[in-house]
Amino acid sequence: MDLHPRTAADAPALTTFLREVDLTLSGLDAPTVRLWTQRDEDGAIVASTGFEISADGRHALIRSVAVSPSHRSRGCGTVLARFALERAAQEGAQTAWLFSRRSGPFWQGLGFAPAHREDLAAALAETHQVRLFRETGQLEREVAWSRPLNAA
């Protein structure tokens, strides 16, 4: 998988891609959000992955892990998730967190366990996604997951 760090020029295409796969767009250009993309031979984004690091650097909110429908069922999602987990651990994060209402079994296969959403929100209170979810009331509908990163 050929992943490239997100650049400012990627913003329109990445926004379109994440909107199409129904993922959060908040904070995509923030310096605390690390994102990578994969493009197909025509230059279209077909996969993304990333995380947002907490202010203290101990926590990472895994986000924007997505594969376009035409590239699914090839193991790409697992590669993308592991990439984000490894990069977050390299930056010093000790715990990975995420929100997922639809993909629990996928994340459990990568060592995630159900977590209390308020614990996630406390650990990552300043992240764009948590702030957005609090402001819109979406936090109460979310399902949180976590795992230690020492095993990434």
Side-chain angles (χ1 to χ4, degrees):
M1 184 164 265
D2 192 19
L3 293 170
H4 297 280
R6 171 225 36 224
T7 67
D10 292 328
L14 182 59
T15 298
T16 299
F17 173 73
L18 292 174
R19 185 173 286 126
E20 288 172 356
V21 294
D22 195 28
L23 291 181
T24 303
L25 304 174
S26 178
L28 292 180
D29 60 350
T32 55
V33 177
R34 280 73 159 156
L35 293 170
W36 293 264
T37 62
Q38 179 186 16
R39 293 181 179 265
D40 66 12
E41 58 279 349
D42 296 324
I45 292 177
V46 294
S48 65
T49 190
F51 61 92
E52 186 167 3
I53 202 80
S54 64
D56 65 7
R58 296 183 326 140
H59 303 275
L61 181 61
I62 305 301
R63 56 177 291 178
S64 305
V65 177
V67 180
S68 73
S70 63
H71 286 72
R72 291 184 184 158
S73 300
R74 302 177 193 173
C76 294
T78 298
V79 171
L80 292 166
R82 287 188 176 155
F83 181 89
L85 293 169
E86 289 168 7
R87 290 295 175 103
Q90 288 170 0
E91 284 203 29
Q94 299 165 7
T95 305
W97 302 82
L98 61 90
F99 293 111
S100 180
R101 287 179 275 159
R102 299 180 297 242
S103 302
F106 169 79
W107 293 108
Q108 285 177 311
L110 290 166
F112 280 82
H116 294 285
R117 70 178 145 259
E118 286 302 329
D119 291 343
L120 183 161
L124 292 145
E126 70 288 343
T127 61
H128 292 274
Q129 195 170 15
V130 168
R131 288 191 338 239
L132 173 68
F133 287 2
R134 280 200 188 282
E135 290 168 8
T136 62
Q138 185 174 336
L139 184 63
E140 299 307 315
R141 295 186 304 274
E142 289 299 325
V143 178
W145 302 86
S146 71
R147 67 162 271 189
L149 281 176
N150 57 1

